Structures are given as structure tokens and as C-alpha cells.
């Protein structure tokens, strides 16, 4: 479309250069068939500026369609998702390492607890109960710090990812609202401009016979100066009347548009503020929830560690009571470890699912923006088609009048090579240009 | 692009064709009353076309849902293009299946009416501004009547209206290369402009980018395309002159009859 508009301009130049005045050079032609170069006539029509503006709007929209203002491309979304995946993979690796450390530590503590239980049973051999408890306490503290550190890192990563998504969501929302407002404003501006153009055209049509009559009088060479001035003054008055009426309409429309712009601006600000508050609230709630979960988990782990002094590798010759005690110790440590690991893995799954969902929401906003752009393009196409048809119909009426006057039987447009027909383009141009006056 | 070429031809050939008129007295004496036209938009409103259109719309709605489902989550551009092409092909095939028999029936009806009215050519109403014989009503009556329209026995009489098939002219190697080069240039410029648009900070910036883009295309068109446009005009002008034609139109606007000068034009390029 853009290309057509562009090339149309050079066509006109080319046509004038080859055929000055728009008509073929003098020579015998078939005076019963005529043709017009519709492209050139459209360019001199009073509504052409509006048509050209629609072409520019469509070209601009086409160029912007993959720009940042409308939507992120698939590649951008992929990039962001890869970054998210990378972050989650890193967090998963940290969790895996923490779990491996925990496993070793649980084993060590379990063995220490077994040794302590056996030592206490055998009395004098091995370290005393206090010594064992002290060693276990130190190990427990180291473990607790490692777990806390890993949990803190994971929580931090989650917070950063959420905040980044929050900002992206706000930006997308802002863009989407601004585009919606622009579309609304433009639709109204287009509607008013079309109404103005229609009104101007209507005025010109209504006064066409008066104007023609006055011009015919002016072309009368026998007219004296006073009469000529009088006719000219009537012609000027006619022009002034039309210009005043159109001007008044434009002023009214300007006021309507200014009010609409203010209303849209206020509406966007209110809607944006409300939505941004809601988005921030949701993000903060998620961060708070995750912080609380992490704390509870750490507290639970600390409690489990403090209570877990037991053993499994039951040596031979121990009493049934001791054996039962050692088995119970092993089961407890095994249970604590499994519980711990399950919680950590579940936490990461939840984080991942949540972040991917947020990405989905953002993509949704993009898709909505893209759909809006498509809709706007369809609307522009329709407006252009309607306007063009209106202009061609008007041109057709002018050409018909000329053909009837000149006794031409058939007139066509869009000819590739006009051979022996009469070129009516120049005559039609003059008549159409007079609609501007 | 060749549609643009065609438009330019129309404009620049005027002077040359005035001379052509001098050399074609036989054609100029032809009867302009043998030019008819049909309103194709009106034909689209007859029940068989309306029904086919409705069926196609239903089929398309179903395809759209399938398309959306299949495209969900696909971000690779090649895969997107492949899927889109598959669905377009399906729709096009359905369109052919539904409309080809209707078009053929309409073609026969138009030929039958044109023959009975001694028309040498029938064109699309859109290009007729004044005069000519409107045969739309007769064609619709024939299509809505019982039974199939009967094809005319005679071929259309020689016509003083010529036509060229633009797609065949476009396929001439010299023009095709120029078209392809220009299309590539346009695509590159568009990509460049789109990338600039992403970084544009104001409406002023965006307008400037659009203006630069348009200027680049116009300049390229002037240097690379315009000479070929002029050459094509000259060739069509010469052929029209030799054949003594009153007008030459695009085949897309022709419905029946006319004098085909496409092969003369393409041969002249060799």
C-alpha cells in the first residue's frame, strides 16, 4: 500500500512529463471513446489529503507492527523465557547441592547419634554424652547456616524474578492502555474529519450550479466592469459562505476532540493507577508468602535437627531395647531428610510454575496489543476503501458530464495503453480542482 | 509492482499512441457500442454464490480455531510460516472446490449474453465510467433461470479493445529480475525501518523514519524501475499501433472477448 502510494506520486510526474497537460498530442482519434487516468484525478480531488493520510497511517502501522510499542517478538519472548529458565536451573542446581550436603550431614549425624547411644550403653568406652552432643550441635549449626544461605539465595532469586515480571507487566499494561486511547482518539478524529470533508463537498455540490452560472457570466466578454465586479463579489461571497460554514464545523470538532483527549487521558491515568496498585499488591503478597514459607521451613528444619539424635548401623550383640532404639533413630533421620528434600523440591516447582504463569500473562497482553493493531489496520483499510470509492464516484459524475457535453459514447479508466481514444483527464482535472475553490 | 508499471504505461503512452491512431484507420472505424460490462459485485449476490460464500465462511471459522490451537506456543518463525501456509492452502483448495463450478457457469452465461447482443468485449463495471452496455441483469436472469446456460456457438468477434496478461509480462526475465530485486530492497528497507522504529523516542522520530523509508523506495523506483516501465510502455504502444486497437486494458479487468496482445508484447522483449 505504501509502495503503491509512493509510486503513484512518481507516476503522476512521469505522466505529466510525457504528456504535458495530460492529453495526448493532437492527431486523429476516435472521438466516440474516451478514457481518464484515474490515479491522477484522485490526486487532485479535495479529499486526496485525507486519502494520503490514511495511506501514511497504514504504512506507519505496518512498520510499527513488530516494533516495541505494539508487541514483543517471539524471539524476545524466547530470550526472556531462556533467561528465566537459566535462573531456575541455577536455583535447582543450588537446591541439588544443598540436598546432597544435607544427605551427607544427615548420615554423619545419624552415625554420631548411633555412636552416642552405643557409647552411653557401653559406659566408659568412647566419647561421653556431652562431647557427642557438642559435636552434633556444631555440625547442626553449620548445616543450618548452609540451608539458611541456600534458602536465602533462592528467595532472593524469586523476588528479583517477580519484580522484573511486575515491571514488565506494568509496562505492557501502560502500552496497551495508551494504544487503546490512541485508537479511540484516532477513530473519532477520522470520523469528524470525514464528516468535515463530506460537509465541504456537499457545500460545493450544493453551490455548484450557482458557481457555474457566475463563472459563465464572468467569461462573457461583453460584461461591463461594474457588472463584472458584482458577479465576482457574488462568487467571493459564495466561497466565503462555504469557508465560514466549514470553519465553524472545524472549530466545533476541535473542541470535541480536545474534550475527548482530556477524558481519555484521565481515564487512562485512573485505570493504570488502579491496575498498577493491584499488580504491586499481588507481587508483594507473593513475596511475603514465599518469605513466610521459607522461614517456616527453616524453623522446621532446625527443630528436626535438634531432635534427631539416633542411629542405624546396629552392631551385633546389642540388646533388643538398644536395637529398637537405633532402628527408631534411623527411621527418624530418614524421615526428616525425605521431608526436607520434598519440601525444597516442591518449593522450586512452585516458583517455576508461578513465574511461567506470569510470563504467560505478559504474552497475553502482547497478543491483545497485536490483535488491537490488526483491528486498527482493518479499520484503516475499510476507511480508505470507503473514501476512495466516494472520491471515484464523485470523479465519475464529473467525467460523465464532460463526456455528455463532448458527445463521447464510452469512457473507461485503468487503461494500459489508451490507443485511439480521447484523453479526458485534463478536462476532468479542471472540474475536480474547481471543487476546492 | 507490475500493476504500477501498468499504471505508468497508461500515462506515458498517450503521446506515442496518438501516432498509433494515425496508422489504424480500420480499428478506429470500429463500433464502440459493442463494449459491454458486468457488475461482478452484483453477481456475488445471487443465491448460489451467497450459499457458497456462507459455506466457505463456516469452513474458515473452523480452520481459524484449528490454526490458533496449532500456533499456540510455536515461536519459531519458520514453523509459524509453514503452519500458516498449510492452512492457507487448505482454504484455497476449499475455495476452488466451491467456486470453480460457479465461475465456469457464470463465464458461460456472460459469453451467451454477450454473443446474443453482438458484443465483442465485456469488461468489469469498475473500469467503465460512462456508456457501454450493462449486461449484468441479463446474466443474472440467465444464472437464476432453470438449467445451465448454453455456450455460444461462435467465438467473440474481433475487438478493438486489446488486453495484456500482466502476470505473463511480469514473468519476462528482465522484468522478473527487476521486480525481485526491488522486492528484496523493499524488504531490507522495511526491516531497517522497523528496527529504527523500536528505538524511536517520539512521534517526530517515527515520522522521520517513515519519511526516510518512503524516500528510499521512491528513489530506488525512479532509478531501477522507471526505465523498464518506459520500455514496457513503448512496447505495448508499438503492438497496439500495429493491431489498430482503441484501448488496451489489463486482463484482470476483462471478462469476455477482447484482443489478446500478451504474446506479442512478451515476444517483443526477446
Amino acid at each position: 500500500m505504501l509502495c503503491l502510494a509512493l509510486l503513484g506520486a512518481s507516476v503522476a510526474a512521469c505522466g505529466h512529463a510525457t504528456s504535458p497537460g495530460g492529453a495526448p498530442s493532437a492527431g486523429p482519434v476516435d472521438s466516440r471513446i474516451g478514457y481518464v487516468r484515474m490515479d491522477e484525478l484522485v490526486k487532485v480531488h479535495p479529499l486526496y489529503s485525507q486519502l494520503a493520510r490514511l495511506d501514511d497511517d497504514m504504512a506507519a502501522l505496518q512498520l510499527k507492527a513488530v516494533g516495541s510499542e505494539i508487541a514483543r517478538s517471539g524471539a524476545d519472548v524466547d530470550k526472556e523465557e531462556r533467561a528465566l529458565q537459566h535462573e531456575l536451573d541455577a536455583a535447582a542446581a543450588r537446591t541439588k547441592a544443598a540436598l546432597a550436603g544435607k544427605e551427607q550431614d544427615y548420615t554423619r549425624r545419624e552415625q554420631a547419634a548411633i555412636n552416642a547411644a552405643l557409647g552411653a550403653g557401653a559406659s566408659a568406652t568412647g566419647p561421653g554424652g556431652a562431647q557427642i552432643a557438642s559435636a552434633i550441635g556444631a555440625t547442626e549449626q553449620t548445616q543450618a547456616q548452609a540451608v539458611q544461605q541456600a534458602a536465602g539465595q533462592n528467595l532472593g532469586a524469586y523476588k528479583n524474578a517477580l519484580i522484573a515480571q511486575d515491571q514488565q507487566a506494568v509496562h505492557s499494561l501502560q502500552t496497551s492502555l495508551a494504544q487503546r486511547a490512541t485508537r479511540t482518539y484516532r477513530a473519532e478524529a477520522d470520523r469528524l474529519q470525514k464528516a468535515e470533508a463530506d460537509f465541504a463537498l456537499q457545500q460545493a455540490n450544493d453551490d455548484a450550479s450557482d458557481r457555474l452560472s457566475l463563472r459563465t457570466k464572468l467569461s462573457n466578454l461583453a460584461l461591463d466592469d461594474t457588472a463584472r465586479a458584482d458577479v465576482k463579489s457574488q462568487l467571493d461571497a459564495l466561497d466565503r459562505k462555504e469557508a465560514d460554514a466549514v470553519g465553524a464545523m472545524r472549530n466545533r470538532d476541535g473542541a470535541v476532540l480536545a474534550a475527548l483527549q482530556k477524558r481519555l487521558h484521565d481515564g487512562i491515568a485512573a485505570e493504570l493507577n488502579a491496575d498498577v496498585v493491584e499488580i504491586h499488591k499481588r507481587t508483594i503478597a507473593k513475596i511475603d508468602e514465599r518469605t513466610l514459607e521459607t522461614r517456616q521451613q527453616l524453623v522446621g528444619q532446625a527443630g528436626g535437627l535438634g531432635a534427631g539424635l539416633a542411629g542405624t548401623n546396629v552392631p551385633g550383640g546389642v540388646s533388643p531395647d538398644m536395637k529398637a532404639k537405633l532402628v527408631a533413630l534411623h527411621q527418624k533421620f530418614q524421615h526428616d531428610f525425605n521431608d526436607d528434600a520434598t519440601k525444597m523440591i516442591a518449593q522450586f516447582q512452585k516458583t517455576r510454575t508461578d513465574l511461567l504463569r506470569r510470563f504467560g500473562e505478559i504474552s497475553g497482553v502482547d497478543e491483545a496489543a497485536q490483535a488491537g493493531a490488526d483491528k486498527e489496520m482493518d479499520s484503516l483499510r475499510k476507511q480508505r476503501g470507503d473514501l476512495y470509492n466516494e472520491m471515484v464516484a464523485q470523479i465519475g459524475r464529473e467525467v460523465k458530464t464532460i463526456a455528455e457535453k463532448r458527445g463521447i459514447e464510452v469512457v473507461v479508466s485503468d487503461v494500459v495503453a489508451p490507443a485511439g481514444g480521447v484523453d479526458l483527464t485534463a478536462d476532468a482535472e479542471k472540474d475536480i480542482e474547481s471543487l476546492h475553490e | 509492482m507490475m500493476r504500477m508499471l501498468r499504471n505508468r504505461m497508461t500515462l506515458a503512452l498517450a503521446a506515442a499512441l496518438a501516432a498509433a491512431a494515425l496508422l489504424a484507420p480500420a480499428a478506429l472505424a470500429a463500433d464502440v457500442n459493442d463494449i459491454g460490462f458486468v457488475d461482478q459485485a452484483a453477481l456475488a449476490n445471487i443465491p448460489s454464490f451467497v450459499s457458497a460464500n456462507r459455506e466457505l465462511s463456516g469452513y474458515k471459522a473452523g480452520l481459524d480455531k484449528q490454526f490458533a490451537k496449532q500456533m499456540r506456543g510455536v515461536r519459531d518463525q519458520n514453523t509459524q510460516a509453514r503452519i500458516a501456509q498449510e492452512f492457507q492452502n487448505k482454504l484455497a483448495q476449499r475455495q476452488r472446490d466451491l467456486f470453480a463450478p460457479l465461475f465456469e457457469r457464470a463465464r458461460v452465461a456472460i459469453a451467451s449474453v454477450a454473443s446474443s447482443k453482438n458484443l465483442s468485449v465485456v469488461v468489469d463495471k469498475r473500469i467503465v465510467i460512462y456508456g457501454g452496455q450493462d449486461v449484468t441483469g441479463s446474466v443474472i436472469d440467465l444464472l437464476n433461470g432453470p438449467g445451465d446456460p448454453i455456450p455460444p456457438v461462435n467465438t467473440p468477434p474481433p475487438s478493438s479493445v486489446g488486453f495484456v496478461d500482466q502476470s505473463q509480462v511480469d514473468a519476462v526475465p528482465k522484468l522478473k529480475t527487476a521486480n525481485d530485486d526491488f522486492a528484496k530492497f523493499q524488504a531490507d528497507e522495511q526491516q531497517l525501518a522497523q528496527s529504527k522504529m523500536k528505538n524511536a523516542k517520539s512521534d517526530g522520530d517515527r515520522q522521520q523514519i517513515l519519511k526516510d523509508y518512503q524516500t528510499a523506495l521512491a528513489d530506488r523506483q525512479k532509478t531501477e524501475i522507471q526505465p523498464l516501465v518506459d520500455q514496457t510502455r513503448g512496447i505495448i504502444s508499438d503492438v497496439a499501433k500495429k493491431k489498430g486497437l482503441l484501448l488496451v486494458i489489463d486482463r484482470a479487468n476483462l471478462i469476455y472477448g477482447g484482443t489478446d496482445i500478451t504474446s506479442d508484447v512478451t515476444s517483443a522483449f526477446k
Side-chain angles (χ1 to χ4, degrees):
Chain A
M1 186 60 69
L2 169 70
C3 188
L4 281 171
L6 269 175
L7 298 181
S10 55
V11 167
C14 182
H16 285 303
T18 317
S19 175
S25 53
V29 293
D30 190 314
S31 59
R32 293 167 303 162
I33 189 159
Y35 65 91
V36 289
R37 296 185 295 270
M38 190 58 81
D39 285 352
E40 289 182 35
L41 295 182
V42 164
K43 284 193 179 72
V44 297
H45 193 278
L47 297 180
Y48 179 68
S49 61
Q50 204 177 332
L51 190 78
R53 193 176 57 76
L54 285 171
D55 283 337
D56 283 350
D57 284 352
M58 283 195 285
L61 194 62
Q62 232 165 7
L63 279 184
K64 280 200 301 184
V66 296
S68 57
E69 285 203 336
I70 301 291
R72 286 172 301 146
S73 66
D76 289 340
V77 174
D78 279 347
K79 194 177 164 190
E80 288 170 18
E81 280 197 354
R82 276 199 300 276
L84 172 69
Q85 192 59 53
H86 178 72
E87 200 171 317
L88 286 172
D89 287 346
R94 283 197 300 273
T95 307
K96 197 176 169 187
L99 283 175
K102 274 187 179 188
E103 190 179 8
Q104 284 178 355
D105 191 57
Y106 269 94
T107 307
R108 196 169 56 247
R109 282 162 51 205
E110 186 183 334
Q111 193 58 51
I114 288 168
N115 290 342
L118 289 172
S123 74
T125 60
Q131 204 176 346
I132 290 168
S134 166
I136 289 172
T139 308
E140 194 176 44
Q141 197 175 3
T142 309
Q143 168 63 19
Q145 280 171 352
V147 169
Q148 201 168 5
Q149 195 180 4
Q153 277 179 343
N154 293 335
L155 184 65
Y158 178 71
K159 274 185 188 170
N160 290 341
L162 266 191
I163 289 166
Q165 298 316 306
D166 187 329
Q167 285 168 347
Q168 183 65 52
V170 170
H171 176 69
S172 296
L173 180 68
Q174 205 168 13
T175 308
S176 182
L177 288 174
Q179 282 167 357
R180 195 180 69 193
T182 305
R183 280 196 296 275
T184 308
Y185 181 83
R186 184 176 286 170
E188 184 62 7
D190 287 344
R191 190 186 68 76
L192 292 174
Q193 195 171 1
K194 185 174 183 311
E196 284 167 13
D198 288 348
F199 180 66
L201 201 59
Q202 185 60 46
Q203 293 262 308
N205 281 339
D206 290 348
D207 295 337
S209 57
D210 291 347
R211 186 174 272 115
L212 187 64
S213 159
L214 291 169
R215 281 201 179 129
T216 310
K217 281 183 191 169
L218 273 179
S219 63
N220 182 359
L221 294 176
L223 212 62
D224 64 51
D225 287 349
T226 314
R228 186 176 295 279
D230 181 47
V231 172
K232 196 162 184 325
S233 147
Q234 286 181 53
L235 206 53
D236 289 344
L238 207 58
D239 292 343
R240 235 183 354 261
K241 183 198 80 177
E242 288 178 11
D244 288 350
V246 173
M249 189 177 184
R250 281 193 183 132
N251 287 341
R252 283 196 302 275
D253 291 347
V256 168
L257 284 176
L260 175 66
Q261 193 169 31
K262 185 177 181 319
R263 207 166 58 242
L264 286 172
H265 180 268
D266 293 348
I268 282 183
E271 198 173 340
L272 186 64
N273 285 340
D275 286 349
V276 165
V277 165
E278 192 54 38
I279 288 171
H280 286 168
K281 214 161 87 181
R282 279 205 305 267
T283 304
I284 290 166
K286 280 175 189 305
I287 291 172
D288 287 349
E289 186 188 349
R290 184 54 53 90
T291 307
L292 188 65
E293 277 177 20
T294 308
R295 274 186 198 147
Q296 283 170 346
Q297 194 181 5
L298 287 173
V299 169
Q301 283 168 354
L305 287 171
L309 299 174
T312 43
N313 295 332
V314 185
V318 295
S319 66
D321 279 355
M322 179 57 78
K323 192 175 179 180
K325 190 179 174 185
L326 294 182
V327 168
L329 273 174
H330 171 68
Q331 283 173 346
K332 179 177 172 19
F333 270 92
Q334 188 71 51
H335 176 267
D336 284 352
F337 174 74
N338 286 345
D339 198 31
D340 206 0
T342 306
K343 276 182 186 166
M344 289 193 81
I345 290 165
Q347 185 181 345
F348 273 93
Q349 288 298 342
K350 194 177 171 188
T351 304
R352 187 175 188 283
T353 307
D354 189 40
L355 289 176
L356 286 177
R357 185 181 59 75
R358 294 295 301 273
F359 260 94
E361 282 175 3
I362 289 163
S363 295
V365 171
D366 277 353
E367 281 162 18
Q370 188 63 55
D374 290 346
K375 203 173 164 189
E376 187 178 352
M377 182 62 93
D378 287 345
S379 162
L380 286 171
R381 277 200 195 103
K382 187 176 180 313
Q383 279 180 53
R384 191 197 186 278
D386 291 347
L387 180 62
Y388 184 81
N389 289 339
E390 195 180 318
M391 291 163 70
V392 167
Q394 170 81 17
I395 291 167
R397 287 193 289 274
E398 299 294 333
V399 171
K400 188 179 167 187
T401 308
I402 295 168
E404 281 171 349
K405 276 185 195 163
R406 294 177 60 167
I408 291 170
E409 294 171 27
V410 180
V411 182
V412 297
S413 66
D414 291 349
V415 291
V416 176
V422 181
D423 187 354
L424 300 176
T425 311
D427 286 355
E429 265 182 9
K430 280 179 201 156
D431 283 6
I432 292 160
E433 275 172 348
S434 77
L435 294 172
H436 286 284
E437 293 165 1
Chain B
M1 186 182 72
M2 287 316 292
R3 187 167 288 279
M4 293 177 250
L5 288 176
R6 197 166 59 241
N7 291 337
R8 280 154 195 72
M9 290 166 202
T10 305
L11 304 168
L13 281 174
L17 290 170
L22 279 169
L23 302 173
L28 296 182
D31 185 3
V32 295
N33 292 321
D34 64 358
I35 299 174
F37 64 86
V38 165
D39 182 356
Q40 298 197 71
L43 292 189
N45 290 328
I46 65 173
S48 53
F49 275 91
V50 171
S51 165
N53 263 319
R54 196 180 299 128
E55 195 174 333
L56 186 68
S57 296
Y59 181 75
K60 185 179 177 299
L63 271 190
D64 284 346
K65 282 182 190 164
Q66 289 176 32
F67 177 71
K69 196 175 168 186
Q70 207 158 323
M71 288 291 267
R72 203 169 294 149
V74 178
R75 297 239 166 77
D76 173 54
Q77 285 188 343
N78 289 335
T79 313
Q80 283 179 345
R82 183 181 54 75
I83 295 171
Q85 190 60 51
E86 278 173 17
F87 277 84
Q88 275 168 10
N89 290 346
K90 278 186 189 175
L91 185 64
Q93 182 57 47
R94 184 68 167 180
Q95 196 170 17
R96 276 194 294 274
D97 293 347
L98 282 169
F99 285 94
L102 299 179
F103 285 146
E104 177 55 21
R105 198 162 177 269
R107 191 192 64 77
V108 173
I110 292 166
S112 177
V113 170
S115 175
S116 69
K117 292 181 183 284
N118 292 321
L119 300 178
S120 69
V121 66
V122 178
V123 300
D124 191 331
K125 186 189 176 185
R126 285 177 308 171
I127 69 163
V128 178
I129 296 177
Y130 175 67
Q133 286 193 49
D134 185 354
V135 296
T136 312
S138 305
V139 172
I140 289 176
D141 288 346
L142 200 54
L143 286 171
N144 284 337
D148 286 332
I150 298 162
V153 178
N154 301 322
T155 52
S159 175
S160 53
V161 174
F163 68 89
V164 286
D165 185 336
Q166 206 62 56
S167 62
Q168 287 185 40
V169 176
D170 284 350
V172 169
K174 191 176 179 181
L175 298 180
K176 186 175 184 312
T177 305
N179 283 339
D180 292 347
D181 288 350
F182 186 80
K184 187 180 177 310
F185 176 78
Q186 187 179 12
D188 291 346
E189 286 296 311
Q190 190 169 343
Q191 203 172 8
L192 187 68
Q194 281 169 343
S195 131
K196 285 180 184 170
M197 278 282 186
K198 280 187 180 176
N199 300 321
K201 290 184 172 55
S202 64
D203 280 348
D205 289 350
R206 280 184 274 277
Q207 277 168 10
Q208 188 57 47
I209 292 164
L210 181 64
K211 198 175 160 193
D212 291 347
Y213 169 67
Q214 290 173 331
T215 306
L217 289 189
D219 289 348
R220 181 75 165 206
Q221 190 274 337
K222 198 174 173 186
T223 56
E224 304 296 322
I225 302 297
Q226 195 58 47
L228 289 172
V229 170
D230 293 340
Q231 188 190 3
T232 310
R233 279 177 186 155
I235 288 171
I236 296 180
S237 171
D238 288 345
V239 173
K241 194 186 297 181
K242 281 177 194 161
K243 302 255 177 187
L245 301 173
L246 289 180
L247 297 169
V248 180
I249 63 171
D250 182 2
R251 194 185 201 299
N253 293 321
L254 179 91
I255 296 174
Y256 168 83
T259 301
D260 189 355
I261 61 165
T262 309
S263 60
D264 299 271
V265 172
T266 53
S267 299
F269 271 100
K270 290 167 188 167

